[in-house]
């Protein structure tokens, strides 16, 4: 599909692929502005439930207006009936990749910055009547933003199974054979029971699982199968962060424990409440966080452009020193010539 025009966007190259669709880097045919276009795989075109969920993602995300939520520009169908969504291009890395590149766990101050931004975005979503229901590191992208704390900006995406207040978009969202929607490692107990009355506190539980993983290098519950993990969410008390990361402050450990309470009635009541509690925790300041700001692509011009974006001074540290030496040498030589001219 490279080179094809989808809606008002020309597909430039493939940047990702999953079981449901393919994501392309694209640009607007008139404005030249960047975008990411997700195209549903042909095999799912006739599955009404899958198509409904696909468009559900676009409608849910577009219902929220917040810097921490991916912007959706347009959606529709191709002449062959394939569904597509055009959205904001995020030149960064997801939280799973960021965590792996950071050695498997983050400093508490960095985790606090990321957690606070997620909570701010969740608060906006919940106020708009949208519950994500599949919050996990793979669905959180980290991009560079010099105006944000730590120079990083969190973006939440993939609202394919989000719950919308009062079903205002008419999404069907049925499941087949009683399938539970979500990712087991991050699912709240009430979601594991497949309850229909799930509210915003399910997202807070998922964030508790994410923060636990950012600080310890593992989610709260691990097992060989998803069913076993679901059972642990239902029956086993959650471990404490300090059991795996003793250096983490007690206040932060306690906040995460409150997010992981089994009963939603006893959990923190809202994203705004949790955000206020997180911001009250005093942690050492952190400098700018290094983020890969563009996916690695084929060697050549785009590779060089990525490298320049990753280093604010215009080139990697290994290449900056020779440039500085050359500039200094030129200046010295120029000064010498001027001096000779003055004394001639």
């Amino acid at each position: 599909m490279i080179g094809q025009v989808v809606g008002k966007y020309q597909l430039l190259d493939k940047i990702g692929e999953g079981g449901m669709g393919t994501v392309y880097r694209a640009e607007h045919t008139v404005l030249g502005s960047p975008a990411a276009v997700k195209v549903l795989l042909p095999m799912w075109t006739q599955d009404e439930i899958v198509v409904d969920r696909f468009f559900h993602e676009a409608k849910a995300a577009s219902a929220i207006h917040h810097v921490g939520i991916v912007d959706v520009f347009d959606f529709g169908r191709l002449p062959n009936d394939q569904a597509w969504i055009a959205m904001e291009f995020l030149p960064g890395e997801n939280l799973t990749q960021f965590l792996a590149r950071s050695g498997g766990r983050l400093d508490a101050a960095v985790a606090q910055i990321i957690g606070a931004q997620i909570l701010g975005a969740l608060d906006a979503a919940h106020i708009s009547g949208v519950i994500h229901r599949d919050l996990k590191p793979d669905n959180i992208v980290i991009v560079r933003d010099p105006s944000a704390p730590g120079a990083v900006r969190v973006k939440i995406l993939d609202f394919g199974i989000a719950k919308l207040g009062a079903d205002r978009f008419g999404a069907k969202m049925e499941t087949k054979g009683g399938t539970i929607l979500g990712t087991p490692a991050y699912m709240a107990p009430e979601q594991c029971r497949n309850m229909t009355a799930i509210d915003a506190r399910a997202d807070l539980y998922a964030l508790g699982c994410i923060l636990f993983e950012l600080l310890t290098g593992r989610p709260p519950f691990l097992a060989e199968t998803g069913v076993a993990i679901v059972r642990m969410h239902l029956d086993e008390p959650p471990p404490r962060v300090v059991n795996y990361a003793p250096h983490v402050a007690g206040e932060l450990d306690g906040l995460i424990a409150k997010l992981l309470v089994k009963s939603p009635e006893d959990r923190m009541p809202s994203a705004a409440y949790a955000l206020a509690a997180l911001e009250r925790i005093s942690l050492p300041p952190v400098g700018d966080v290094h983020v890969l700001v563009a996916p690695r692509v084929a060697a050549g011009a785009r590779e060089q452009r990525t490298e320049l974006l990753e280093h604010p001074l215009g080139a990697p540290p290994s290449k900056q020193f020779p440039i500085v030496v050359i500039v200094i040498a030129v200046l010295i030589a120029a000064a010498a010539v001027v001096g000779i001219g003055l004394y001639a």
Side-chain angles (χ1 to χ4, degrees):
M1 296 186 68
I2 305 299
Q4 184 173 341
V5 174
V6 174
K8 298 178 180 179
Y9 298 89
Q10 183 175 23
L11 307 184
L12 301 179
D13 51 50
K14 185 167 70 172
I15 58 177
E17 187 169 5
M20 305 294 288
T22 304
V23 182
Y24 298 89
R25 184 174 67 88
E27 68 177 23
H28 195 281
T29 54
V30 177
L31 302 176
S33 53
V37 176
K38 182 188 291 189
V39 181
L40 191 66
L41 295 177
M43 61 185 291
W44 298 111
T45 299
Q46 302 305 318
D47 190 319
E48 291 185 12
I49 294 177
V50 172
V51 174
D52 280 341
R53 287 181 188 166
F54 191 78
F55 286 141
H56 183 90
E57 174 181 357
K59 295 172 182 177
S62 62
I64 313 162
H65 303 285
H66 189 271
V67 67
I69 304 293
V70 63
D71 281 334
V72 172
F73 304 143
D74 200 358
F75 63 93
R77 288 180 182 266
L78 296 173
N80 66 356
D81 231 19
Q82 277 182 271
W84 59 270
I85 301 173
M87 64 189 78
E88 178 183 8
F89 176 67
L90 300 176
E93 53 189 332
N94 67 38
L95 192 50
T96 299
Q97 297 165 330
F98 179 74
L99 186 60
R101 195 171 53 78
S102 303
R105 61 177 66 187
L106 303 180
D107 290 340
V110 178
Q112 183 187 41
I113 288 173
I114 292 173
Q117 291 194 32
I118 293 172
L119 282 167
L122 286 178
D123 183 48
H126 297 163
I127 289 173
S128 300
V130 178
I131 304 166
H132 193 284
R133 296 202 300 182
D134 196 20
L135 195 67
K136 57 184 177 181
D138 284 354
N139 290 339
I140 299 168
V141 173
I142 309 293
V143 299
R144 173 174 291 161
D145 182 351
S147 68
V152 295
R153 173 69 62 190
V154 165
K155 294 278 189 175
I156 300 176
L157 62 156
D158 200 347
F159 286 79
I161 64 169
K163 181 179 180 181
L164 304 175
D167 294 326
R168 55 178 164 162
F169 294 124
K172 298 177 181 178
M173 298 303 296
E174 298 100 314
T175 61
K176 293 183 178 181
T179 301
I180 297 176
L181 297 175
T183 302
Y186 309 97
M187 286 169 58
E190 63 270 27
Q191 191 171 353
C192 293
R193 296 188 187 95
N194 201 18
M195 291 171 55
T196 57
I198 293 173
D199 62 22
R201 291 169 293 187
D203 284 345
L204 299 184
Y205 185 96
L207 177 60
C209 294
I210 292 169
L211 288 175
F212 190 102
E213 184 173 356
L214 295 184
L215 294 168
T216 68
R218 49 154 288 172
F221 298 114
L222 290 173
E224 293 184 358
T225 67
V227 173
I229 294 174
V230 164
R231 184 59 59 189
M232 295 169 81
H233 282 299
L234 291 171
D235 299 331
E236 294 192 14
R240 299 294 292 252
V241 168
V242 292
N243 293 341
Y244 299 93
H247 62 282
V248 173
E251 289 177 296
L252 186 54
D253 171 62
L255 183 148
I256 294 171
K258 292 176 182 177
L259 292 173
L260 294 177
V261 173
K262 300 289 185 190
S263 170
E265 287 74 22
D266 298 326
R267 205 174 296 150
M268 284 193 167
S270 69
Y273 185 98
L275 176 58
L278 182 60
E279 290 179 336
R280 284 196 298 267
I281 298 174
S282 179
L283 293 172
V286 62
D288 289 358
V289 180
H290 178 65
V291 179
L292 294 180
V293 298
R296 289 294 181 181
V297 293
R302 287 202 299 267
E303 179 78 16
Q304 294 170 3
R305 178 176 177 272
T306 298
E307 190 173 58
L308 294 176
L309 284 170
E310 287 175 7
H311 300 277
L313 296 181
S318 61
K319 296 181 181 179
Q320 290 166 8
F321 180 72
I323 294 172
V324 172
V325 172
I326 292 170
V327 171
I328 292 174
V330 170
L331 291 175
I332 291 173
V337 170
V338 171
I340 292 170
L342 291 174
Y343 288 99

